[in-house]
Amino acid sequence: MHVPDGFIDAPTSAVTAVVAAGALAVSLRGARRELDERTAPLAGLVAAFIFAVQMLNFPVAAGTSGHLLGGALAAILVGPYTGVLCVSVVLLMQGILFADGGLTALGVNITDMAIVTTVVAYAVFRGLLKVLPRTRRSVTAASFIAALLSVPAAAVAFTLLYAVGGTTDVSLGKVATAMVGVHVLIGVGEAVITALTVGAVVAVRPDLVHGARELRQGLKLRVNGVLVDAPTAPVAARTSRRALWVTGLVTSLVLAGFVSFYASADPDGLEKVARDKGIDVKTAEHAAADSPLADYGVKDVSDARLSGGLAGVIGVGTTVVAGSAVFWAVRRRRTGSPSEAH
């Protein structure tokens, strides 16, 4: 789903850049309400985990693969505003360091992969939780469906952007049919990964999962005719925050540094559709094509497994540092605000 330079014309790319900038500004403000001293470190880890899992392309059809987009996972774990920032950090690292996703198309990619997936997934997730029982299984089931729907939603969003600013003369109907069709299949993989991850975190630390807040909702007491919140007991945690963070980071490093070597080499959904339908005829060379880490390999390292593994480890490390810095800064702005002090 990473859109390269040349697929969408300059005016449309500029408009999406403005949209993305506005959404990021809103998300920075919204993330102040979502992040606290417990969840800020988790947000940086979520960004690194998404980066790692995006390296694991899985086959979905003959000659086609897919990978996690991550919007649903991020929104459910750390909140929709913080989720937009998480995916945006990943896209920025991928575009600058690994020449994955065009730099002039960065606004397109943030709008499509960060904003659309997060908004759609979280809206579906919250809607399902209103009708499902308030249990951990409901959170996992809702995350599955939300993630499943978020991927074809992103495919529809790309199709609309192509309809407005596509640089090739290809039938819109053919693009829409191909994009939605293959991304429904990719959505199944997204749903499985998201549900397994959310379920695992909810099982050990439900208090850290933004989407599981209703599981912690306290009872109401009537005092002098007025309903007030009853004191709630601390949620029993099966593991410490530090242990969860270390486990998540090690998992991300193993996935990116080792497991990624065995990922599918087939083109992903957008690449396959672009190749088959001729959308890619005006693809421009990436501005970071000469990066030492371009195409997820370390320059001058001849061993393919070692080169890809090192690139993956560097990517995870860079993303977790960049993401953590952003989210700690947002958290500090919150604690330093007059309303928080009051």
Side-chain angles (χ1 to χ4, degrees), residues 1-2 7 54 56-67 182-183 186 263-276 280:
M1 188 65 77
H2 292 78
F7 275 27
Q54 283 196 3
L56 308 180
N57 281 47
F58 47 84
V60 295
T64 310
S65 69
H67 62 70
V182 71
H183 284 92
I186 295 174
S264 173
D266 290 333
D268 66 21
L270 176 58
E271 291 174 328
K272 178 66 172 175
V273 172
R275 186 177 302 174
D276 290 347
D280 60 350

Side-chain angles (χ1 to χ4, degrees), residues 154-297:
V156 171
F158 169 79
T159 303
L160 294 175
L161 290 173
Y162 176 79
V164 174
T167 57
T168 53
D169 187 18
V170 179
S171 167
L172 184 60
K174 292 182 179 180
V175 174
T177 301
M179 283 293 294
V180 175
V182 71
H183 284 92
V184 166
L185 300 177
I186 295 174
V188 175
E190 177 103 9
V192 171
I193 296 170
T194 300
L196 289 176
T197 305
V198 171
V201 180
V202 167
V204 295
R205 289 302 301 260
D207 57 311
L208 298 181
V209 178
H210 182 88
R213 291 176 303 170
E214 291 191 1
L215 301 182
R216 313 192 297 271
Q217 187 170 343
L219 298 175
K220 296 286 187 178
L221 296 179
R222 188 175 296 277
V223 179
N224 296 327
V226 179
L227 287 176
V228 297
D229 292 328
T232 56
V235 177
R238 297 186 181 181
T239 186
S240 67
R241 280 181 287 159
R242 178 175 296 180
L244 176 65
W245 196 91
V246 171
T247 300
L249 180 60
V250 171
T251 301
S252 300
L253 290 171
V254 170
L255 292 175
F258 178 73
V259 180
S260 62
F261 181 78
Y262 301 97
S264 173
D266 290 333
D268 66 21
L270 176 58
E271 291 174 328
K272 178 66 172 175
V273 172
R275 186 177 302 174
D276 290 347
K277 305 302 179 184
I279 299 175
D280 60 350
V281 295
K282 293 187 178 180
T283 303
E285 184 179 10
H286 199 287
D290 294 330
S291 166
L293 299 173
D295 297 323
Y296 297 94

Side-chain angles (χ1 to χ4, degrees), residues 13 28 34 39 47 58 62 76 85 124 147 149 155 187-188 227 264 331:
S13 296
L28 285 169
E34 294 173 345
T39 57
F58 47 84
I76 295 167
L85 298 178
V124 172
L149 295 178
V188 175
L227 287 176
S264 173
R331 171 59 188 161

Side-chain angles (χ1 to χ4, degrees), residues 76-141:
I76 295 167
L77 288 180
V78 293
Y81 294 108
T82 309
V84 170
L85 298 178
C86 281
V87 181
S88 298
V89 167
V90 173
L91 294 173
L92 187 61
M93 294 297 102
Q94 290 171 332
I96 293 176
L97 298 179
F98 298 92
D100 188 10
L103 294 184
T104 62
L106 185 59
V108 174
N109 286 318
I110 290 177
T111 300
D112 196 21
M113 295 178 64
I115 301 171
V116 172
T117 58
T118 301
V119 171
V120 170
Y122 198 70
V124 172
F125 178 80
R126 297 301 304 173
L128 290 172
L129 286 189
K130 291 182 182 298
V131 298
L132 293 174
R134 192 178 298 168
T135 64
R136 295 179 182 179
R137 289 185 178 181
S138 295
V139 172
T140 303

